[in-house]
Amino acid sequence: MAKAVQKIKLSPSRDIPFNKLVLAQSNVRRTRAGISIEDLAEDIARRSLLQSLNVRPISDAEGQETGMFEVPAGGRRYRALELLVKQKRLTKTAPVPCIVSEAGTEITAEEDSLAENVHRVALHPLDQFRAFQTLREQGRPEEDIAAIFFVSVNVVKQRLRLVAVSPTLLDVYADDGMSLEQLMAFSVTAEHARQEQVWESVNKSGYDEPYQIRRLLTERAVRASDKRARFVGLAAYEAAGGNVLRDLFEEDGGGWLEDIALLERLVADKLRTEAEIVAAEGWKWLDVAATFPYGYDHEHRRLEGTPADLTSEEQVSFDALQAEYDALQAKYEDADELPDEVDARLGELEEALEAFANRPDVFKPAEIVHAGAFVSIDGEGGLQVERGYVRREDETAFVAATAEPDPEASSAASLADAGDHGGPPVQRATITVAGHADADEEDDDDAIRSLPDRLVAELTAHRTLALRDAVACHPQVAMTALLHKLCVDAFYQTYTPGCLEAGVRHVQLPGQTPGLKESASAKSIADRQAAWKADVPTDEQALWDWLATLDDASRLALLAHCTSFGVNALLEKVDRHGGSGVTAHGLQRRLDQADRLARAVNLDMAEVGWRPTVDNYLGRVTKSRILEAVREAKGEGAMQLIDHLKKSEMAREAERLLEDTRWLPEPLRLAEVAPPSDVKEALPEFLSDDEGQAGEIGEIEPAQAVAAE
């Protein structure tokens, strides 16, 4: 016979006046959590009590019920009701829905309180996101939703952004296939197909950190901090229909501009407009680009303008700004920290004073009509105009026009140049926007091919620039290299160009080499050039006497600096047709000498800051080359992590893996020095070591120069 199942008897519910309830000391909740009592009271006032209180009757010493009830479970709701009574918004006798537990039960009040809190299951975040979306679809503004649930408007925006992620990824999140932080990263873009594509990639590769997801989702966009974006302005970009990707969960620096083509067009249009204003000054030519390559101003004569005089009104304004700035500086000289308003005002004053200092120089009209200017964007996103450059082809006309002329002839020439307009002719700027994008072609050929000629030329351009910088810092090496070149010419009549093109003729480097202009070597050379230029006389006739007054250390440093500009370690195409290009023999001599020079100055391209990136190497070689680089730097295991990826993804991951490894491609490595084989170029004994062989540059002693080859 089946045993009868014991029936469960639920506790009865009843309405009890609030003034008959007291808060029990057996409530297990001691730590404050969740929304405040004040917010909970407002919610009860708006929608009434959604959950009954759990109460127990209070008995006297004889065990008789007193008519009062204690509240062991539901203490926060009781406190909220108590607050409403104190605010006169609820009568103290208002009936409160309660579940009444039987007196004398074996289950304690503490157990009831603990069970109510432990058995409660929090709402899944995705359900909350979808609930917010439902309210939004019902017409509730984001501000109202925020007020109802006592959260900030930004929190509501975040929740709505999360629920807008691809439904496929939301299902993955619901099944615990991704973390909330990963889901947040996907909210950067609203493009579902792109989100799913990135998830498939990172999920397979294992590199699925939130920062990696954000990087892949925004790799086709331009940061708002980019100088082009700052030059155009986000407002103008968005007004033109451009979309800005924003991250509501992380600091995004202003976001990412998604439409690069639109941004480039806006940059070109604004630069063209600014260039037309500059062209009205009468320059013969204007070169306009967002960024010019390194060495863009080589082969140009740079004119020296004179600072424009301040008008009386400008002088008064300048003096007032300077006086206010000095007064604030003196007042807060000993302060540990400036007040915010004072710090802001000092910044405004500095900017205004800097504007006076950065006014364009004044050039002579006779110079302007034969010279031009470069118009570009500076590193802060502002307009940069560099005036007063004379091209080589205009040099003859410039010299003739600026020579001491006959007054009458000068007057006639000026009138002829002015034509019918009574002023110098104006040449409209030729606008050329620099930059190109190589196709991200898929190359599945497993064979390791030779590096492209153009890539090798660009890599050796980096090496040439670094070598120049290093030679300039080693005066004895520079002097030995120069002495070697002169000795070869004097004793052996060998005129095949080598590594050092003494003269010194500036060697032009590939203009579009990625990162060349911003490299540490380029900045070091530019700073050194500026420092020397500040000391060198502007009058060429005074140069000899000035050089004669320099001490030996200064003369050596200047010699090294000037010599370094003739360094040429470029690997170029050989001219096989006997033209004016470099021959195979000449190219080999150049590279051999460049290796010797690099060893002498201990050149380490990793040390000077070169790193393999998608732009400068990894995106421009075969997959096999990429895998070879990772294997050499990180080992077979790291290579296997990326060998299944497409080329574009493989290049990006390889860039990350190689970032701090100091790995270098072959053209940038320090080659072994081969023993000299050209007996015709053996040096005289006084330049040789004890065994008759040419000593290495790196073994230079201060008192004795040795040969570079």
Side-chain angles (χ1 to χ4, degrees):
M1 182 176 179
K3 186 177 180 181
V5 178
Q6 185 177 0
K7 303 299 183 181
I8 298 173
K9 182 180 180 181
L10 299 178
S11 298
S13 62
R14 54 184 285 197
D15 292 341
I16 301 175
F18 178 76
N19 60 353
K20 297 296 183 180
L21 302 175
V22 294
L23 187 62
Q25 297 305 310
S26 54
N27 193 305
V28 298
R29 186 187 291 274
R30 296 287 188 267
T31 306
R32 293 184 179 182
I35 66 173
S36 67
I37 297 299
E38 291 77 11
D39 289 342
L40 181 56
E42 291 299 326
D43 190 70
I44 293 174
R46 180 178 182 274
R47 70 179 84 252
S48 187
L49 194 64
L50 297 180
Q51 186 177 356
S52 302
L53 303 183
N54 182 280
V55 302
R56 290 178 174 234
I58 300 177
S59 302
D60 57 17
E62 287 76 24
Q64 300 297 319
E65 293 187 6
T66 62
M68 299 294 291
F69 297 83
E70 65 176 353
V71 183
R76 297 184 74 253
R77 280 162 278 156
Y78 175 85
R79 291 293 191 194
L81 293 170
E82 184 180 45
L83 179 60
L84 292 174
V85 171
K86 289 180 179 179
Q87 294 174 346
K88 308 296 186 182
R89 301 168 67 185
L90 181 71
T91 62
K92 60 182 179 180
T93 59
V96 179
C98 299
I99 303 295
V100 184
S101 298
E102 293 183 4
T105 179
E106 295 180 357
I107 299 175
T108 65
E110 286 82 2
E111 187 177 343
D112 280 348
S113 177
L114 182 62
E116 183 183 68
N117 288 282
V118 171
H119 294 169
R120 179 185 302 157
V121 177
L123 189 68
H124 192 283
L126 185 56
D127 293 330
Q128 186 192 70
F129 307 159
R130 287 169 172 164
F132 276 21
Q133 183 184 43
T134 300
L135 292 175
R136 190 70 182 88
E137 291 172 350
Q138 291 174 354
R140 294 290 182 87
E142 294 170 355
E143 293 76 9
D144 288 358
I145 299 175
I148 291 171
F149 294 99
F150 307 105
V151 295
S152 67
V153 175
N154 189 53
V155 169
V156 175
K157 292 180 182 292
Q158 290 176 337
R159 302 296 189 267
L160 294 175
R161 177 71 70 85
L162 286 173
V163 81
V165 172
S166 165
T168 300
L169 300 189
L170 291 179
D171 291 340
V172 174
Y173 171 62
D175 293 335
D176 296 327
M178 74 169 63
S179 67
L180 179 59
E181 289 73 19
Q182 289 173 312
L183 186 66
M184 290 176 179
F186 280 108
S187 70
V188 169
T189 179
E191 188 179 346
H192 288 178
R194 179 61 178 158
Q195 292 172 347
E196 294 168 9
Q197 180 187 23
V198 169
W199 172 246
E200 181 181 1
S201 173
V202 300
N203 196 33
K204 287 181 178 179
S205 67
Y207 298 112
D208 56 357
E209 296 86 353
Y211 79 87
Q212 172 75 351
I213 294 171
R214 286 186 177 89
R215 187 179 71 83
L216 293 175
L217 289 172
T218 59
E219 66 180 351
R220 301 174 182 174
V222 173
R223 280 195 172 275
S225 57
D226 186 278
K227 69 177 185 178
R228 294 168 295 172
R230 298 172 70 177
F231 178 67
V232 171
L234 287 182
Y237 168 79
E238 290 180 304
N243 182 47
V244 179
L245 303 178
R246 299 304 303 263
D247 192 338
L248 296 182
F249 301 93
E250 296 280 346
E251 173 57 42
D252 61 8
W256 297 265
L257 283 66
E258 195 172 25
D259 194 337
I260 300 178
L262 173 62
L263 176 62
E264 294 286 1
R265 179 172 62 80
L266 294 175
V267 168
D269 290 345
K270 186 172 181 179
L271 279 174
R272 185 180 294 107
T273 300
E274 297 289 351
E276 289 173 353
I277 297 174
V278 178
E281 299 172 10
W283 300 101
K284 180 178 181 182
W285 54 267
L286 292 175
D287 273 355
V288 183
T291 300
F292 286 107
Y294 178 80
Y296 66 95
D297 57 348
H298 289 175
E299 307 299 331
H300 291 73
R301 177 203 285 260
R302 180 69 189 272
L303 304 179
E304 295 292 337
T306 57
D309 295 330
L310 297 177
T311 65
S312 57
E313 293 81 3
E314 290 173 334
Q315 187 65 55
V316 170
S317 177
F318 176 83
D319 292 341
L321 291 170
Q322 188 66 57
E324 183 182 357
Y325 182 82
D326 293 341
L328 287 175
Q329 287 278 55
K331 182 177 180 180
Y332 294 95
E333 182 178 6
D334 299 326
D336 293 333
E337 187 174 353
L338 294 175
D340 291 342
E341 63 276 8
V342 174
D343 189 41
R345 180 55 181 163
L346 284 173
E348 294 172 357
L349 292 172
E350 289 174 353
E351 186 176 346
L353 291 171
E354 187 177 356
F356 278 101
N358 293 335
R359 295 190 311 160
D361 288 341
V362 176
F363 297 87
K364 299 176 182 178
E367 296 175 335
I368 291 178
V369 296
H370 296 285
F374 295 98
V375 181
S376 60
I377 305 173
D378 64 23
E380 300 299 320
L383 181 69
Q384 178 171 294
V385 181
E386 298 170 279
R387 297 171 172 83
Y389 286 87
V390 179
R391 288 172 170 167
R392 175 177 292 181
E393 58 266 29
D394 298 324
E395 186 69 22
T396 302
F398 172 80
V399 172
T402 55
E404 291 296 335
D406 178 71
E408 294 183 2
S410 176
S411 176
S414 299
L415 291 175
D417 286 341
D420 296 333
H421 300 287
V426 176
Q427 171 118 3
R428 291 184 60 83
T430 301
I431 298 178
T432 55
V433 179
H436 68 278
D438 291 333
D440 186 15
E441 58 187 7
E442 190 74 23
D443 191 346
D444 291 324
D445 190 352
D446 291 332
I448 297 180
R449 301 178 180 178
S450 300
L451 295 177
D453 292 337
R454 178 178 175 184
L455 174 58
V456 174
E458 292 178 357
L459 292 173
T460 53
H462 276 283
R463 189 187 190 211
T464 298
L465 195 64
L467 197 53
R468 289 180 183 178
D469 187 34
V471 168
C473 296
H474 293 73
Q476 290 294 340
V477 174
M479 179 171 286
T480 302
L482 181 58
L483 182 59
H484 169 265
K485 173 67 168 62
L486 298 177
C487 286
V488 169
D489 291 348
F491 292 98
Y492 307 109
Q493 291 78 46
T494 300
Y495 299 108
T496 304
C499 165
L500 180 62
E501 300 183 6
V504 168
R505 180 179 67 86
H506 287 248
V507 179
Q508 297 300 307
L509 304 180
Q512 299 301 328
T513 301
L516 194 64
K517 184 179 179 182
E518 294 79 17
S519 66
S521 301
K523 294 176 181 176
S524 176
I525 292 173
D527 291 344
R528 191 182 304 110
Q529 174 76 358
W532 277 115
K533 188 174 181 180
D535 293 338
V536 173
T538 56
D539 182 8
E540 187 175 334
Q541 299 302 320
L543 178 61
W544 183 275
D545 293 336
W546 178 77
L547 290 173
T549 64
L550 294 179
D551 56 42
D552 288 345
S554 298
R555 289 161 63 86
L556 281 174
L558 181 56
L559 173 63
H561 175 65
C562 295
T563 301
S564 69
F565 282 106
V567 172
N568 184 359
L570 286 172
L571 192 154
E572 302 177 83
K573 282 188 175 182
V574 172
D575 188 346
R576 303 181 184 278
H577 305 289
S580 58
V582 64
T583 65
H585 175 63
L587 179 61
Q588 190 59 52
R589 273 178 53 83
R590 175 195 297 177
L591 298 180
D592 289 344
Q593 291 182 15
D595 288 336
R596 178 69 62 87
L597 199 56
R599 294 176 63 83
V601 297
N602 295 318
L603 179 65
D604 184 342
M605 290 301 298
E607 190 68 28
V608 301
W610 192 91
R611 298 289 184 272
T613 66
V614 173
D615 290 335
N616 68 15
Y617 183 81
L618 299 168
R620 306 170 62 184
V621 297
T622 64
K623 293 176 66 174
S624 298
R625 283 279 184 182
I626 299 174
L627 295 173
E628 178 189 38
V630 174
R631 179 171 50 244
E632 288 181 359
K634 301 285 287 186
E636 191 75 22
M639 184 206 71
Q640 291 176 357
L641 291 175
I642 66 171
D643 61 2
H644 65 285
L645 299 177
K646 294 182 179 179
K647 180 183 174 183
S648 59
E649 298 170 351
M650 180 186 293
R652 289 192 295 270
E653 287 305 311
E655 177 180 335
R656 186 180 66 82
L657 290 170
L658 296 173
E659 183 176 4
D660 297 320
T661 62
R662 300 173 65 88
W663 179 88
L664 298 171
E666 297 93 331
L668 299 187
R669 298 175 186 175
L670 194 61
E672 294 293 333
V673 176
S677 58
D678 191 348
V679 297
K680 293 183 179 180
E681 293 185 9
L683 295 177
E685 290 186 4
F686 70 89
L687 287 178
S688 302
D689 58 18
D690 293 339
E691 298 179 1
Q693 298 295 329
E696 293 199 11
I697 283 181
E699 301 169 355
I700 293 175
E701 296 293 334
Q704 180 180 1
V706 295
E709 184 178 353

